[in-house]
Amino acid sequence: MAMGWQEVRDEALRRIRARDWPPGARIPDEAALAGELGCTRVTVNRALRDLAEAGLLERRRRGGTRV
């Protein structure tokens, strides 16, 4: 079964907390994360949007997403 957006969010949060993605680091793009996690880009987008709304990620169009 494919991951839901909450599971993708939890995995991203785990990577942030473990400093796999340290502050200021650019994280992989949505397509790369979707392929790695076995879900759709829409699912990844929803998860990253939630973390951005919580203030943990900064997202910029054409500029990528940073912790």
Side-chain angles (χ1 to χ4, degrees), residues 3-21 33 36-37 39 47-48 51:
M3 293 180 101
W5 74 266
Q6 296 96 335
E7 294 163 306
V8 173
R9 180 198 58 209
D10 291 348
E11 175 58 20
L13 191 54
R14 183 196 68 74
R15 292 179 187 192
I16 292 167
R17 288 182 174 153
R19 302 270 183 183
D20 294 338
W21 296 344
L33 284 172
E36 178 186 340
L37 299 174
C39 60
L48 297 183
L51 290 172

Side-chain angles (χ1 to χ4, degrees), residues 1 5 7 10 17-19 21-22 27-30 32-35 39 44-47 49 53 55 58 60 66-67:
M1 188 172 133
W5 74 266
E7 294 163 306
D10 291 348
R17 288 182 174 153
R19 302 270 183 183
W21 296 344
I27 69 170
D29 65 30
E30 290 177 6
L33 284 172
C39 60
V44 172
N45 180 286
R46 176 66 181 91
R49 190 171 67 234
E53 289 170 0
E58 180 181 300
R60 292 199 178 154
R66 293 187 182 273
V67 178

